[in-house]
Amino acid sequence: MPQLPDHPDLAQLRRQARELLRAAAGGDADAIRRVRQVSEKTTLSTAQLALAREYGFPSWPRLKDEAERRRASAGGAAQAGEAGQARYPDYLTAEAVELIEGQYADRPQLRPILDAVLALLPALGPATVQARRTIVSLVCPRRTFAVVRATTKDRVDLGLRLDDAEPGGRLQSAKGIGGGGATVRIALRRPEDIDEEVRGLMRRAYEENTAPPPPRRPARRPGAVAGTMTVVIEGSELPGRTCRPEPDGQDHQDIYVALGGRSEDRPALTMSNKPGMAIEPVPGDAPAARWEMPVTVRRDEDGFDFGGPFVRGVRDDRHLGLIWGDLIDDETLQVFRGAKLRLVDVDPGLIEQALRPGHTLVARIRLTDARGNPICARVHPPYLTWSVAADGAG
């Protein structure tokens, strides 16, 4: 029977239990024999119990309590793993450990990537680790700042909540990672991918989400109405009826694009996974798309503001939205992405012209992105141009 060391390392004991579980699940005869001495099931809890019995304790909690007692009596926490490595296992509850084991059971070669991410936590500050069936959330004192997901058999995605970050370079869209409010993600295929850049982004996400939110501005009085302008969205180069935006993501087979907003007198679909209406839907293989709507224009101390049933967003992000979704039936659209046409980005001179009688603000948008998928997120030139047309002019 092995003897518990005088200064036991609780992290090492947890690691021994996980290794025993992996070996038993992989068919190792000796590991199976050790687990079968306590249970016919092969789970993390039975592996922990088997290890505790081997050390002479009736249960895993008793072994854990004794290890913590000896460590405390030795005058502080013992080092875990190799010298100098962070003691990230102390962030994990037994339940979280078991859930994580399930996530990586069929892809153990990716587990060192998660371990390398968790090893960064002590250097960031107070944090907790929460695990669900498919994802691990890293939570700072205020809210979740990062998530880790074994997305494929050869890739782990590190999702970060960076509200002002745009996809580009190593930062990719966080679509499909799920949960935690992640706005961007980084694909990791080996622990060495966690370099100085990734560590800097992790710290930035931690600090941004730990900081208290900025004080709310006092409610402002609405500006005086300057008038109502007509806005026309002319869409071209539609992507077709099928797409797969993410290489490892879902196939979309019956794509439509629609205007987001509220309307009682226009053709519209309900959305199965979002509130609101998908107005005047157009099939993704149509030669062109066109939507026309009124927009109320107000003038305040910051310039123009916009309102109406088709306008979305807060004061500094007023926009018109296009919605992409799969047609489920004749009345329902399942949304999978959307595009922003920001009114606040329009040249104020064009707004002045569009307010004149007989004039229209025209948004011309290419609806297929550089990868051949439906355009999404905030749309910039050259995919979007704004102009003013007089009645009867193109």
Side-chain angles (χ1 to χ4, degrees):
M1 177 182 293
Q3 296 297 312
L4 191 65
D6 292 337
H7 306 300
D9 181 346
L10 185 55
Q12 180 62 28
L13 293 172
R14 288 191 176 112
R15 189 174 299 112
Q16 290 177 22
R18 293 197 298 269
E19 291 171 351
L20 175 59
L21 173 64
R22 290 194 191 102
D28 182 85
D30 184 60
I32 293 173
R33 176 191 59 77
R34 292 165 63 190
V35 172
R36 289 292 183 268
Q37 289 182 349
V38 299
S39 175
E40 291 299 314
K41 298 179 180 179
T42 304
T43 65
L44 179 61
S45 60
T46 57
Q48 291 172 337
L49 177 59
L51 188 67
R53 295 278 177 84
E54 291 173 358
Y55 278 113
F57 293 87
S59 67
W60 173 258
R62 289 287 295 275
L63 172 60
K64 179 182 172 183
D65 290 346
E66 178 61 18
E68 291 177 337
R69 186 192 66 79
R70 294 190 188 186
R71 185 176 62 179
S73 65
Q79 293 291 330
E82 297 179 4
Q85 288 189 346
R87 296 188 61 257
Y88 71 83
D90 276 0
Y91 288 87
L92 302 178
T93 64
E95 181 182 10
V97 169
E98 188 161 4
L99 287 167
I100 291 171
E101 291 294 340
Q103 293 175 20
Y104 291 86
D106 63 342
R107 54 199 78 185
Q109 73 280 4
L110 297 181
R111 178 58 189 270
I113 301 175
L114 172 67
D115 292 344
V117 172
L118 296 182
L120 302 177
L121 293 179
L124 298 179
T128 57
V129 177
Q130 298 174 1
R132 299 197 296 275
R133 188 174 62 86
T134 61
I135 201 165
V136 177
S137 298
L138 311 182
V139 186
C140 63
R142 183 166 151 240
R143 62 186 181 187
T144 298
F145 72 95
V147 293
V148 187
R149 181 171 188 166
T151 308
T152 70
K153 293 294 180 67
D154 65 354
R155 188 185 88 228
V156 171
D157 282 325
L158 171 62
L160 300 173
R161 185 168 188 159
L162 293 168
D163 291 336
D164 295 328
E166 296 282 349
R170 294 181 72 182
L171 293 180
Q172 303 175 40
S173 168
K175 294 286 186 182
I177 194 171
T183 59
V184 290
R185 66 176 173 87
I186 302 171
L188 304 172
R189 301 185 185 277
R190 53 181 188 161
E192 292 77 14
D193 290 342
I194 304 173
D195 55 14
E196 192 60 37
E197 180 185 7
V198 174
R199 289 192 289 271
L201 289 167
M202 278 273 289
R203 176 165 292 282
R204 176 180 158 193
Y206 181 90
E207 292 174 350
E208 285 187 12
N209 291 283
T210 299
R216 297 185 63 180
R217 295 178 59 180
R220 69 169 75 193
R221 295 174 65 88
V225 174
T228 299
M229 68 178 177
T230 299
V231 180
V232 172
I233 301 175
E234 296 180 349
S236 63
E237 300 180 39
L238 278 76
R241 294 288 277 272
T242 64
C243 75
R244 190 179 187 180
E246 298 294 334
D248 306 307
Q250 177 183 351
D251 286 317
H252 301 281
Q253 300 294 335
D254 197 7
I255 299 170
Y256 277 68
V257 59
L259 177 68
R262 305 185 307 276
S263 177
E264 296 181 357
D265 57 357
R266 302 193 185 199
L269 300 171
T270 59
M271 293 185 280
S272 65
N273 52 344
K274 287 185 178 293
M277 304 170 66
I279 299 167
E280 296 177 348
V282 177
D285 58 355
R290 186 181 188 277
W291 299 272
E292 180 176 326
M293 71 230 67
V295 172
T296 301
V297 181
R298 294 178 179 272
R299 199 188 305 267
D300 60 23
E301 66 269 25
D302 293 331
F304 289 120
D305 191 14
F306 307 93
F310 304 97
V311 176
R312 299 173 158 192
V314 296
R315 172 64 180 81
D316 59 357
D317 188 38
R318 302 283 197 225
H319 64 273
L320 304 172
L322 296 182
I323 297 163
W324 295 96
D326 294 309
L327 188 66
I328 299 176
D329 53 42
D330 291 342
E331 300 180 351
T332 310
L333 195 71
Q334 184 169 358
V335 176
F336 64 87
R337 61 171 39 180
K340 282 185 180 183
L341 290 71
R342 283 176 32 115
L343 293 164
V344 294
D345 291 341
V346 180
D347 185 331
L350 292 179
I351 303 297
E352 294 279 12
Q353 294 179 45
L355 285 169
R356 293 162 52 193
H359 289 72
T360 300
L361 181 66
V362 181
R364 292 184 173 90
I365 179 172
R366 289 158 50 188
L367 293 171
T368 300
D369 67 16
R371 297 171 56 193
N373 293 312
I375 195 80
C376 68
R378 178 179 174 182
V379 186
H380 300 271
Y383 291 91
L384 173 66
T385 60
W386 296 94
S387 61
V388 173
D391 287 353

